[in-house]
Amino acid sequence: MTTSSIRTLFITKEVPYPPVGGASLRTWQNINIMMKFGPVGVFSASNWTPKSTSLPGVTLWKHSNFSTHRSNWENLESRLWWLHPRRHPDADWAYTKTAAQELDETLIKFQPDIVVLEEVWLYPYLSVVEKHKCRIIFDNHNVEASLWQQRYRIVKGIKSKLKAKIQLDHLKSIEGDFTKQVSQVWVCSEDDVSLINKFYGEVSPTYVVPNGINVAHYDCVRSGEYSPKTGLEDTSRNVLFLGQLSYSPNTVAAELLINQIYPRLQELYPDSRLLLVGRSPTQFMLDAAKRSPGIIVTGSVPDVRPYLAAASVMVVPLLQGGGTRLKIVEAFAAGCPVVSTVKGAEGINARDGEHLLIREVEELVAGVSQIWSDSSLGEKLASSAYELVQAEYSWEAVSRKVEKAIHKLF
């Protein structure tokens, strides 16, 4: 077999195109990279049915809407997940026996050489894939046990604490088994390699496949050719935060922006605005936007580039999380300066003062003020960050990493 005739099937928890968040951006990146090796198929499972019947460049796409064929027995089983050491409610969400049968039929029809399971929550489908003669890659977007451990520390109440502990133990069991049963494990950064080894010891060969982007897609923003979102052109002090806003680390960060960071910025710069861009905003965020005309909460948007074009700085006050933040990589590609916490910049080979400003939460306002009061600093950071994203986080750069991993498989 040559690496130009490899057939790859991706199994995804959601429809990967158009990308609407970090998970689908990473999945869509990997799909596009694997197309250079041969035909690509996709099996997606979610609780809705897309209108489209094809994905750009994808040879075969099978979508399973599990909400239409989950039996009463399966609903009961999912409520009793805690009785089974390798069951977890988030993994059960995307699985039904009917979907597993549809996946088996797709595998028989497509005959892949490689199957890539995107995220730990697809673990229940591993047993289906193992029946077929193919190499299996577990693309672990985050070391989820580490994320859940971070959340567990801040859970309050005996009952909630006990539930969180059981979920964490089950997740460790699932993730640990997953990392040992596959041909390769892909992770986002060297930090994640260390976490995998810390939690699970000896695992399958593990490769760093960074979160990257199609840099050319953002060139029109960086060059100033792309128009800001209508209504956001009239100030040079728009603060941007991107992401799925219901995702716990993003929710905490957005609330910090609303409660602490933006009020202080508005005192210093009355014309400043806070743009929270991403799907599933919480009621707290929507209420804050009603109270303050300076806070704009968009919900899901078809294209983030108009908001990147409007922004003069991206602020990433993350205190939890894993993997690497595609929101920062997108800002780098678009020429938007970034101010971030250490956790926010984790996993990205960016240096404070060269590619972005890294500050503690209480220092983020001062970091934004530095950029707004010194245009040359923002330009310097943006220029260095663009060079970094081209060298390490473009699809071309990531493709070279994937090619090495694929050669090892065969």
Side-chain angles (χ1 to χ4, degrees):
M1 179 184 298
T2 66
T3 53
S4 60
S5 61
I6 296 171
R7 301 174 68 81
T8 308
L9 180 72
F10 284 83
I11 304 175
T12 71
K13 190 166 66 75
E14 281 284 3
V15 176
Y17 185 88
V20 292
S24 57
L25 275 167
R26 178 174 176 83
T27 299
W28 190 240
Q29 159 196 287
N30 293 344
I31 288 170
N32 276 269
I33 289 173
M34 288 309 298
M35 285 179 190
K36 70 181 284 188
F37 299 107
V40 168
V42 173
F43 179 87
S44 55
S46 71
N47 60 350
W48 60 285
T49 300
K51 293 179 182 178
S52 176
T53 57
S54 64
L55 299 171
V58 171
T59 303
L60 172 71
W61 177 28
K62 172 64 180 175
H63 181 77
S64 180
N65 182 344
F66 53 73
S67 67
T68 62
H69 49 61
R70 177 170 274 143
S71 68
N72 291 333
W73 177 249
E74 285 179 301
N75 284 328
L76 176 61
E77 278 190 316
S78 68
R79 287 196 288 271
L80 299 175
W81 63 268
W82 48 274
L83 293 173
H84 307 274
R86 286 187 180 151
R87 295 283 295 273
H88 189 284
D90 286 1
D92 285 352
W93 180 84
Y95 179 83
T96 64
K97 291 176 183 176
T98 302
Q101 178 60 39
E102 291 174 344
L103 172 59
D104 192 58
E105 292 167 0
T106 303
L107 286 158
I108 292 168
K109 180 178 180 180
F110 191 66
Q111 293 289 302
D113 304 297
I114 297 173
V115 173
V116 183
L117 292 107
E118 295 285 345
E119 299 186 86
V120 71
W121 312 119
L122 292 162
Y123 174 79
Y125 290 106
L126 178 61
S127 60
V128 179
V129 180
E130 287 176 326
K131 298 173 186 175
H132 297 263
K133 292 182 179 179
C134 55
R135 272 82 165 181
I136 306 173
I137 295 171
F138 167 32
D139 184 28
N140 202 14
H141 291 208
N142 300 291
V143 181
E144 291 291 343
S146 175
L147 287 184
W148 281 69
Q149 197 171 69
Q150 293 171 44
R151 295 175 197 170
Y152 173 72
R153 293 191 189 108
I154 61 174
V155 171
K156 296 178 180 177
I158 295 174
K159 187 175 179 180
S160 297
K161 200 83 171 173
L162 177 60
K163 182 180 178 182
K165 179 65 166 63
I166 295 171
Q167 288 187 341
L168 176 58
D169 290 344
H170 283 226
L171 178 54
K172 284 180 179 178
S173 179
I174 289 170
E175 194 169 42
D177 189 60
F178 214 158
T179 59
K180 292 176 172 66
Q181 298 304 319
V182 296
S183 308
Q184 286 185 355
V185 180
W186 290 359
V187 293
C188 300
S189 70
E190 291 292 347
D191 289 345
D192 286 348
V193 174
S194 299
L195 283 171
I196 288 275
N197 292 333
K198 173 187 171 184
F199 277 95
Y200 307 118
E202 189 174 338
V203 298
S204 301
T206 304
Y207 295 87
V208 174
V209 176
N211 282 336
I213 56 172
N214 180 5
V215 174
H217 183 67
Y218 301 86
D219 280 348
C220 56
V221 180
R222 183 172 173 271
S223 65
E225 298 170 23
Y226 208 87
S227 299
K229 177 70 176 175
T230 302
L232 302 180
E233 317 96 329
D234 57 343
T235 180
S236 59
R237 304 194 196 279
N238 288 322
V239 176
L240 177 63
F241 182 76
L242 289 177
Q244 182 181 333
L245 297 172
S246 61
Y247 176 54
S248 177
N250 286 339
T251 301
V252 172
E255 290 180 0
L256 272 173
L257 282 161
I258 291 169
N259 291 332
Q260 297 182 36
I261 297 164
Y262 179 62
R264 289 168 57 200
L265 279 173
Q266 200 173 34
E267 286 179 10
L268 297 169
Y269 306 97
D271 64 335
S272 63
R273 278 186 295 229
L274 173 61
L275 315 180
L276 300 178
V277 179
R279 61 176 171 160
S280 305
T282 65
Q283 191 60 49
F284 176 81
M285 298 172 201
L286 295 171
D287 290 344
K290 288 179 183 176
R291 290 193 304 270
S292 171
I295 297 175
I296 296 170
V297 179
T298 67
S300 183
V301 297
D303 191 347
V304 299
R305 290 177 297 175
Y307 299 92
L308 284 163
S312 56
V313 64
M314 177 179 283
V315 179
V316 187
L318 285 169
L319 301 177
Q320 309 168 15
T324 54
R325 320 301 177 248
L326 273 160
K327 57 177 69 68
I328 290 182
V329 179
E330 287 183 284
F332 283 179
C336 179
V338 175
V339 184
S340 173
T341 56
V342 171
K343 173 58 76 173
E346 191 177 66
I348 299 175
N349 292 328
R351 290 184 289 275
D352 176 32
E354 182 177 348
H355 306 106
L356 77 172
L357 298 183
I358 297 178
R359 300 289 185 267
E360 299 295 334
V361 169
E362 57 273 15
E363 299 171 335
L364 288 171
V365 170
V368 173
S369 295
Q370 273 184 272
I371 289 172
W372 282 350
S373 61
D374 182 359
S375 61
S376 63
L377 173 61
E379 290 168 6
K380 173 198 158 198
L381 294 173
S383 177
S384 298
Y386 184 72
E387 291 177 8
L388 176 68
V389 80
Q390 279 189 311
E392 297 193 34
Y393 302 104
S394 63
W395 277 2
E396 293 78 13
V398 177
S399 180
R400 291 190 287 272
K401 303 257 188 183
V402 170
E403 190 163 1
K404 289 180 182 178
I406 297 304
H407 276 293
K408 291 287 187 181
L409 265 184
F410 296 96

